[in-house]
Amino acid sequence: MKVLVIGSGGREHMLVKKLLEDERVEEMFVAPGNGGIAEEAQCIPIKETDIDALVNFARQEQMDWTIVGPELPLMLGIVNAFRAANLNVFGPTQEAAMIEGSKDFSKALMKKYQVPTANYQSFTNSDQAKAYIRQKGAPIVIKADGLAAGKGVVVALTEEQALTAIDDMLEANRFGQAGACVVIEEFLAGKEFSLFAFVNGESVYPMLPARDHKRAFDGDQGPNTGGMGAYSPVPDLDQEHLSFAVESILKPVANAMVAEGRPYTGVLYAGLIVTADGVKVIEFNARFGDPETQVVLPLLKNNLLQVIEDIDNGNDPKLEWRAGYAIGAVVASSGYPHQYRKGVTLPDLPDDDQCYLIHAGTVKEAEQFKSSGGRVLLVGAINQTLKRAQANIYHYLERFDQNKAFFYRKDIGDFE
Ligand code: AMP
Ligand code: GLY
């Protein structure tokens, strides 16, 4: 079989590793891929947003399956285009990907179908938005409606910060069209977790829960990033909350998407929070999360391509999970998520019995890996206990300590 993965991050490297477990896969292509992926698959220099070129490539090469990693091509309708060309593709249509692409859409859906989430109101008019903020007071959360590469959420601790966010989004158009509508919602306090499910229409097969660490620095300090590390499953999450998330959040939402004429296929990602009033939704994404995928998929016993085929055929994939925990910490370029240097040579990265390496922002030049992005790579480990897995990754990561061009969080997996 020939398989194409779309994307270039750590999530896509993990997908490639997992898909290659299937002996039927003879040729693996990734567009555009990264330096680490190129060791295991053929990287094709087509941008993830160039839908026409991707369709043409998949058609010419007679691809058996295409698996889409990131949200942008989904929002641009890559699944619709592949289906129209009679090509097998795994991911939601443009209409279904709206659950991530428009926060106003997903909040309205949750309200209509009584899925627990923060109370909210949407605004396009800044005077009305500001009046609402003054009425509600801080803390309060302001979100750009559209995709903003993880930067469109402001958790305002003061009224002033909230009003500034409104000026940025509705007056200064900082996020362009994505910020022309804002969702203003109630601040929720609690511990967060991510729960992905394979979904086809009304069928929902949840994966293990995971926890992402989004802030740049230890102790959840500093700016929000794309994710600095993760672990799975989540020791402080009890079974009752997990069941609620499946039965009262994921399943009703899958049903709601069918009822709305936007049946969902692919991986549905629920960002959840355990509040004093129970589990509530922070956000939905229309794809696997990054870096959670790098710790969830290593625990999946099943053949991923077979799971995708089962889901596509309407069969139960009968997911099975390894015991124990997986954890991963991201090595990032110093300065990320703001300005950072690229092209820095990585230290020697030998194979290790205890750890696995997932590349994100790397390129290979003259037999050496160099950095090419903010999140460079992830070091992961699996063990019976989270503590031991954590000790293993941090031992391996010591090789980055002498190089000021990189940093990583030292507290991934300190869940208490
Ligand atoms: P998002 O980009 O939607 O994942 O939001 C980024 C982060 O903002 C989330 O992971 C939460 O930590 C935080 N956040 C979003 N919405 C809320 C909310 N209503 N209350 C508290 N924190 C929130
Ligand atoms: N880990 C956050 C995300 O994938 O959106």
Side-chain angles (χ1 to χ4, degrees):
M1 289 175 81
K2 287 184 168 185
V3 177
L4 170 64
V5 171
I6 312 285
S8 61
R11 165 182 51 211
E12 287 75 23
H13 193 190
M14 189 69 238
L15 287 169
V16 165
K17 281 183 182 293
K18 194 67 192 154
L19 290 163
L20 282 172
E21 288 175 4
D22 190 317
E23 287 174 358
R24 294 174 299 168
V25 178
E26 283 170 348
E27 285 188 83
M28 174 71 82
F29 299 91
V30 185
N34 64 42
I37 290 175
E39 305 279 290
E40 303 180 59
Q42 266 174 267
C43 290
I44 308 298
I46 304 177
K47 278 199 223 144
E48 65 188 39
T49 48
D50 193 347
I51 310 290
D52 290 342
L54 291 167
V55 168
N56 284 337
F57 176 77
R59 203 193 269 135
Q60 270 161 21
E61 289 287 336
Q62 302 188 324
M63 215 54 65
D64 293 291
W65 271 103
T66 297
I67 287 114
V68 187
E71 61 276 16
L72 209 49
L74 294 169
M75 283 304 299
L76 294 173
I78 191 170
V79 169
N80 309 58
F82 270 64
R83 285 192 186 162
N86 250 318
L87 291 160
N88 280 332
V89 61
F90 187 66
T93 59
Q94 187 172 43
E95 295 75 27
M98 279 280 278
I99 200 159
E100 171 167 6
S102 167
K103 297 205 190 279
D104 182 47
F105 170 81
S106 75
K107 293 296 287 189
L109 185 87
M110 286 187 267
K111 192 171 181 183
K112 181 170 171 186
Y113 293 90
Q114 291 159 13
V115 173
T117 187
N119 291 323
Y120 83 107
Q121 214 162 301
S122 297
F123 296 91
T124 51
N125 176 289
S126 82
D127 290 338
Q128 287 168 8
K130 288 179 180 178
Y132 182 78
I133 289 168
R134 290 196 185 97
Q135 179 205 332
K136 294 284 176 186
I140 194 160
V141 181
I142 321 293
K143 301 184 173 182
D145 171 53
L147 293 184
K151 299 188 179 88
V153 174
V154 176
V155 179
L157 299 180
T158 65
E159 219 173 276
E160 208 180 315
Q161 285 169 350
L163 297 173
T164 304
I166 295 301
D167 283 334
D168 280 352
M169 294 187 203
L170 292 181
E171 301 280 349
N173 294 321
R174 213 180 122 208
F175 299 106
Q177 206 43 41
C181 169
V182 298
V183 165
I184 304 182
E185 68 178 32
E186 174 196 8
F187 172 85
L188 299 176
K191 286 190 165 179
E192 292 178 51
F193 67 102
S194 307
L195 185 62
F196 311 156
F198 293 102
V199 175
N200 183 2
E202 296 189 342
S203 303
V204 173
Y205 304 98
M207 296 182 229
L208 287 181
R211 179 169 287 139
D212 178 20
H213 293 258
K214 282 212 176 84
R215 301 294 194 111
F217 309 128
D218 287 10
D220 289 328
Q221 301 297 306
N224 254 316
T225 70
M228 294 298 294
Y231 53 88
S232 174
V234 180
D236 55 278
L237 178 64
D238 57 50
Q239 192 54 46
E240 183 195 339
H241 288 137
L242 189 55
S243 304
F244 182 86
V246 174
E247 299 302 325
S248 305
I249 293 174
L250 286 172
K251 288 184 180 175
V253 164
N255 290 346
M257 292 297 278
V258 172
E260 293 293 313
R262 300 168 188 266
Y264 196 96
T265 51
V267 171
L268 179 61
Y269 167 142
L272 302 165
I273 185 164
V274 184
T275 73
D277 298 330
V279 179
K280 295 188 181 183
V281 176
I282 293 273
E283 62 164 350
F284 283 110
N285 293 320
R287 51 176 171 81
F288 279 109
D290 189 338
E292 294 98 316
T293 301
Q294 292 90 302
V295 295
V296 171
L297 288 187
L299 296 171
L300 179 65
K301 282 189 183 168
N302 305 63
N303 170 333
L304 179 61
L305 193 57
Q306 187 62 54
V307 171
I308 288 170
E309 292 192 322
D310 286 341
I311 297 291
D312 188 58
N313 292 327
N315 298 328
D316 181 347
K318 300 201 169 64
L319 301 181
E320 288 189 61
W321 300 95
R322 289 172 67 162
Y325 293 86
I327 184 172
V330 169
V331 175
S333 302
S334 294
Y336 172 76
H338 307 302
Q339 296 272 44
Y340 55 84
R341 272 171 67 202
K342 293 183 186 175
V344 182
T345 302
L346 268 53
D348 208 23
L349 298 168
D351 287 344
D352 188 277
D353 284 352
Q354 302 296 331
C355 296
Y356 55 91
L357 285 182
I358 305 290
H359 286 245
T362 69
V363 288
K364 199 169 187 185
E365 284 169 9
E367 291 307 300
Q368 278 186 316
F369 285 115
K370 295 190 172 166
S371 62
S372 65
R375 289 190 291 177
V376 178
L377 54 80
L378 171 142
V379 175
I382 300 180
N383 207 289
Q384 279 310 111
T385 74
L386 185 55
K387 278 277 166 248
R388 259 182 275 146
Q390 185 190 41
N392 288 337
I393 60 166
Y394 283 120
H395 179 65
Y396 192 91
L397 282 161
E398 283 170 9
R399 71 194 69 237
F400 285 92
D401 290 351
Q402 300 312 317
N403 196 330
K404 295 225 161 21
F406 302 112
F407 76 103
Y408 61 91
R409 274 182 63 162
K410 307 256 183 345
D411 63 345
I412 307 299
D414 291 348
F415 62 89
E416 284 91 353

